């Protein structure tokens, strides 16, 4: 054998040996030595190993095995890592505020390291020893980029201002990420809303949603068409990749089968958008309710005389039609314990206070007395037609007179009996409250309402079925609740208490709902 050939064979042997070691970089052995698992370490969350073996991917409790091999982590100095990507609206203020509050409540320090203009990391460390416990890395871009990072395995959690798209769902399944619409794969972190805004120098005070849709579709192009001066309308929106712009398409334009005009001035941030509109007396924008700057918000109206403002309560109940839930999409795999603890904290009462202070709408249920709902009942009387007699309104007032409305409401996807995304989250929220005993010794009443399309009797029947379906969903989710301590019932009033005008698709959508009342 020549020296050259021998050298080649030796190099090949070393390569194959190294490849084999890399392909099986850990061996997990039970303490009694009876079980041995070899494979490639895919991850370690501080408690469990994820290993790719010849039998497929398995998860093993670290407390029951000894790890050997070059891939074994240091159990004593484990640092939890979490990668978060997506909406800058959520990542700039809300998530940092929650992380800092979480650290404070858990004896940790939170140090922010700026890695790049759109990237930063929070380093969480023990307040006493200074030992590093976690690194939460953020990529603040857009909702689109957040899902792209998840699909490219460059992120663990997506911050999203919209629901996941069908194309993203398909791609996630193809990549082995499972069903992103499945149980516990998403949650509503907080609530925002889309608000039409103009300059303080603009005379317009209100606009109906059909007009607003036609404006941003380029069908209405002059302020004179809205009762204003003879001047062109200049459109302002976030960039097309922004979740806010995509939500505007979904909630404002799609229901009336319109598409966004090509003549829109796109802005990189909500701050840039409101500054531009504030300077532009003939401009109009759709901004985040959490930051309208020096612009003036427009009231949403309808031809039947109803008007809706983007108030905190109207957003929380989804009575305001352009409510925009702020989602976190989560991986199917286990996250490190400290990351899971943080996600649990985001649903706590202290976290809801942080969310409010950050300028967003929290999800803590509030109870609204009937005396604070005068406008709603006045609208009901005004809108009552021949199919809603005075006796039905009297029945409604008599039944609800000594009860209070919860701000937790339930609405449905257009043309479907399925709950929308925010309402799905509300099911879990109300279920956790029942499990915690917050409504023990009280009565909860699920009340169905409908739009006014079709006969009133049929609408009451449909509303009753929806109320019963929501009640069943909440009780099914509240697995550990003691239902002997709380009275739960259903009722239906159909079209008797409209929230908006029925002549528009969004108005009918707002009117189809299940409310929760308590006594």
């Amino acid at each position: 054998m020549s020296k050259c050939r021998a050298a080649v064979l030796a190099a090949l042997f070393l390569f194959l040996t190294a490849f084999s070691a890399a392909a099986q970089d850990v061996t997990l052995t039970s303490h009694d030595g009876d079980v041995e698992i070899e494979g490639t370490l895919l991850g370690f969350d501080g408690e469990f190993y994820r290993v790719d073996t010849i039998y497929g991917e398995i998860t093993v409790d670290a407390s029951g095995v000894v790890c050997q091999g070059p891939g074994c982590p240091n159990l004593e100095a484990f640092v939890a890592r979490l990668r978060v990507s997506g909406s800058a609206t959520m990542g700039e203020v809300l998530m940092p505020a929650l992380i800092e509050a979480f650290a404070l409540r858990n004896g940790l320090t939170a140090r922010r390291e700026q890695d790049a203009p759109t990237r930063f990391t929070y380093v969480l460390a023990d307040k006493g020893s200074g030992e590093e416990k976690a690194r939460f890395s953020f990529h603040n871009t857009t909702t689109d980029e957040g899902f792209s990072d998840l699909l490219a395995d460059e992120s663990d959690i997506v911050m999203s201002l919209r629901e996941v798209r069908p194309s993203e769902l398909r791609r996630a399944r193809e990549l082995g990420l499972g069903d992103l619409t499945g149980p516990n794969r998403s949650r509503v972190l907080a609530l925002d809303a889309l608000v039409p805004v103009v300059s303080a120098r603009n005379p317009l005070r209100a606009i109906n949603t059909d007009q607003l849709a036609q404006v941003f579709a380029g069908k209405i192009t002059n302020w004179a068409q809205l009762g204003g001066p003879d001047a062109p309308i200049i459109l302002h929106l976030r960039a097309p990749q922004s979740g806010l712009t995509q939500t505007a398409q979904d909630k404002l334009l799609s229901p009336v089968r319109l598409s966004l005009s090509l003549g829109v001035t796109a802005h990189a941030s909500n701050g840039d958008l409101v500054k531009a509109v504030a300077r532009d007396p003939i401009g109009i924008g759709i901004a985040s309710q959490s930051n309208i700057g020096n612009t003036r918000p427009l009231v949403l109206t309808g031809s039947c005389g109803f008007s809706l403002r983007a108030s905190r309560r109207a957003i929380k109940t989804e009575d305001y039609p352009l409510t925009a839930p702020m989602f976190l999409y989560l991986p199917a795999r286990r996250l490190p314990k400290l990351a899971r603890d943080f996600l649990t904290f985001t649903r706590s009462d202290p976290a809801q206070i942080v969310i409010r202070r950050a300028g967003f709408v929290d999800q803590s249920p509030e109870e609204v007395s009937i005396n604070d709902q005068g406008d709603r009942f006045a609208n009901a009387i005004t809108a009552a037609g021949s199919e809603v007699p005075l006796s039905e309104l009297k029945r409604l007032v008599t039944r609800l007179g000594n009860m209070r409305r919860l701000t937790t409401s339930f609405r449905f996807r257009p043309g479907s009996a399925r709950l929308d995304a925010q309402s799905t989250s509300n099911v879990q929220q109300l279920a956790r409250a029942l499990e915690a005993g917050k409504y023990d010794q009280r009565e909860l009443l699920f009340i169905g309402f409908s739009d006014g399309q079709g006969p009133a009797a049929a609408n009451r029947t449909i509303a009753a079925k929806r109320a019963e379906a929501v009640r069943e969903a909440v009780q099914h989710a509240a697995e550990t609740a003691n239902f002997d301590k709380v009275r739960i019932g259903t009722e239906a009033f159909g079209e008797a208490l409209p929230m908006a005008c029925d002549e528009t698709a969004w108005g009918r959508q707002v009117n189809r709902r299940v409310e929760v009342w308590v006594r």
Side-chain angles (χ1 to χ4, degrees):
M1 180 185 295
S2 69
K3 290 183 178 180
C4 181
R5 185 181 177 189
V8 170
L9 290 175
L12 181 60
F13 172 78
L14 290 173
F15 171 78
L16 291 174
T17 302
F19 180 82
S20 176
Q24 303 212 339
D25 56 2
V26 296
T27 300
L28 305 179
T29 307
S30 63
H31 293 303
D32 59 12
D34 289 345
V35 178
E36 188 174 274
I37 300 170
E38 292 184 339
T40 302
L41 184 68
L42 299 177
F44 176 64
D45 65 7
E47 298 174 294
F48 288 82
Y49 298 104
R50 284 192 304 119
V51 183
D52 186 16
T53 73
I54 60 173
Y55 306 106
E57 182 179 323
I58 62 174
T59 301
V60 181
D61 188 340
S63 65
V65 296
V66 175
C67 184
Q68 295 175 309
C72 291
N74 185 336
L75 301 187
E76 298 299 323
F78 173 73
V79 176
R81 297 182 184 274
L82 182 70
R83 301 167 300 169
V84 187
S85 179
S87 164
T89 301
M90 299 172 66
E92 287 173 352
V93 176
L94 180 56
M95 291 293 281
L98 287 167
I99 287 174
E100 291 173 9
F102 168 75
L104 185 64
R105 292 182 66 86
N106 287 274
L108 303 170
T109 60
R111 184 180 77 253
R112 178 166 171 159
E113 297 178 349
Q114 195 70 38
D115 305 318
T118 62
R119 295 180 183 271
F120 61 89
T121 298
Y122 267 98
V123 180
L124 304 185
D126 184 87
K127 190 174 290 186
S129 66
E131 181 183 357
E132 187 173 316
K133 296 294 185 181
R135 299 183 71 88
F136 292 177
S137 301
F138 284 80
H139 185 201
N140 282 355
T141 53
T142 65
T143 293
D144 275 5
E145 286 296 318
F147 281 110
S148 294
D149 284 351
L150 179 70
L151 297 175
D153 194 26
E154 295 176 1
S155 175
D156 302 308
I157 294 178
V158 180
M159 302 178 290
S160 176
L161 295 183
R162 59 163 173 80
E163 292 186 61
V164 61
R165 298 286 194 228
S167 59
E168 294 160 342
L169 280 174
R170 288 193 298 271
R171 187 63 179 147
R173 290 193 186 98
E174 291 169 359
L175 293 172
L177 299 180
D179 182 5
L180 291 177
T181 64
N184 302 316
R185 296 301 304 275
S186 69
R187 65 175 58 176
V188 177
L189 181 66
L191 302 173
D192 202 355
L194 307 181
V195 182
V197 294
V198 295
S199 166
R201 292 175 286 169
N202 191 303
L204 197 67
R205 293 292 187 275
I207 190 170
N208 69 50
T209 53
D210 276 351
Q211 290 173 331
L212 186 62
Q214 291 182 58
V215 164
F216 277 91
K219 304 296 183 182
I220 294 178
T221 58
N222 194 292
W223 286 106
Q225 295 172 268
L226 301 174
D230 182 13
I233 298 175
I234 307 301
L235 305 177
H236 297 269
L237 266 181
R238 292 286 306 278
Q241 299 82 9
S242 164
L244 281 175
T245 296
Q246 293 168 352
T247 300
Q249 175 67 55
D250 293 346
K251 291 205 166 189
L252 182 66
L253 297 169
S254 294
V256 289
R257 299 181 181 179
L258 292 175
S259 298
L260 191 62
S261 169
L262 297 177
V264 174
T265 301
H267 299 274
S269 70
N270 193 77
D272 292 343
L273 185 152
V274 295
K275 287 177 183 177
V277 173
R279 294 191 301 263
D280 186 356
I282 58 173
I284 184 172
I286 295 179
S288 163
Q289 183 268 347
S290 61
N291 179 15
I292 61 171
N294 293 321
T295 62
R296 185 175 65 244
L298 298 179
V299 177
L300 293 182
T301 63
S303 61
C304 63
F306 288 13
S307 62
L308 291 168
R309 300 176 186 274
S311 67
R312 184 175 60 86
R313 183 177 294 169
I315 293 170
K316 188 175 284 192
T317 58
E318 278 193 284
D319 292 345
Y320 183 74
L322 299 182
T323 295
M326 309 177 84
F327 298 95
L328 294 180
Y329 278 88
L330 311 173
R333 64 181 180 276
R334 285 172 57 94
L335 292 171
K337 184 177 184 304
L338 200 62
R340 301 199 308 272
D341 290 345
F342 168 69
L343 291 174
T344 299
F345 167 76
T346 63
R347 283 184 162 172
S348 68
D349 290 340
Q352 303 311 304
I353 296 172
V354 173
I355 290 168
R356 288 198 296 272
R357 289 177 177 172
F360 299 94
V361 177
D362 66 280
Q363 296 191 89
S364 295
E366 299 175 27
E367 297 182 15
V368 187
S369 73
I370 200 166
N371 292 334
D372 292 332
Q373 302 179 61
D375 289 346
R376 292 217 306 156
F377 285 89
N379 287 339
I381 294 170
T382 302
S386 58
E387 291 195 318
V388 183
L390 181 60
S391 60
E392 182 69 357
L393 296 179
K394 286 182 177 179
R395 184 174 76 89
L396 184 152
V397 173
T398 300
R399 184 70 176 92
L400 304 181
N402 61 349
M403 302 188 77
R404 301 168 71 89
R405 182 194 178 188
L406 277 188
T407 51
T408 303
S409 300
F410 301 89
R411 284 184 167 81
F412 304 85
R413 298 177 186 274
S416 172
R418 294 174 58 209
L419 292 172
D420 65 18
Q422 181 177 336
S423 298
T424 301
S425 182
N426 287 348
V427 167
Q428 297 300 320
Q429 178 197 68
L430 186 54
R432 299 294 83 77
L434 286 167
E435 289 178 328
K438 290 187 176 181
Y439 298 104
D440 284 358
Q441 312 309 322
R442 302 189 71 182
E443 178 186 4
L444 261 65
L445 191 63
F446 291 82
I447 305 178
F449 295 95
S450 71
D451 60 39
Q453 302 293 297
N459 287 335
R460 277 195 301 275
T461 300
I462 294 171
K465 290 180 179 179
R466 285 176 173 159
E468 186 64 27
V470 172
R471 181 196 63 77
E472 289 178 357
V474 170
Q475 289 192 268
H476 179 74
E479 296 178 357
T480 64
N482 185 349
F483 290 107
D484 292 334
K485 293 185 176 182
V486 58
R487 290 174 294 159
I488 298 181
T490 61
E491 181 61 273
F493 291 104
E495 60 194 72
L497 191 59
M499 292 302 307
C501 305
D502 260 337
E503 80 275 8
T504 63
W506 71 266
R508 293 189 291 274
Q509 179 71 14
V510 167
N511 288 335
R512 294 190 292 266
R513 68 197 185 278
V514 173
E515 297 180 0
V516 184
W517 287 65
V518 296
R519 174 168 48 203

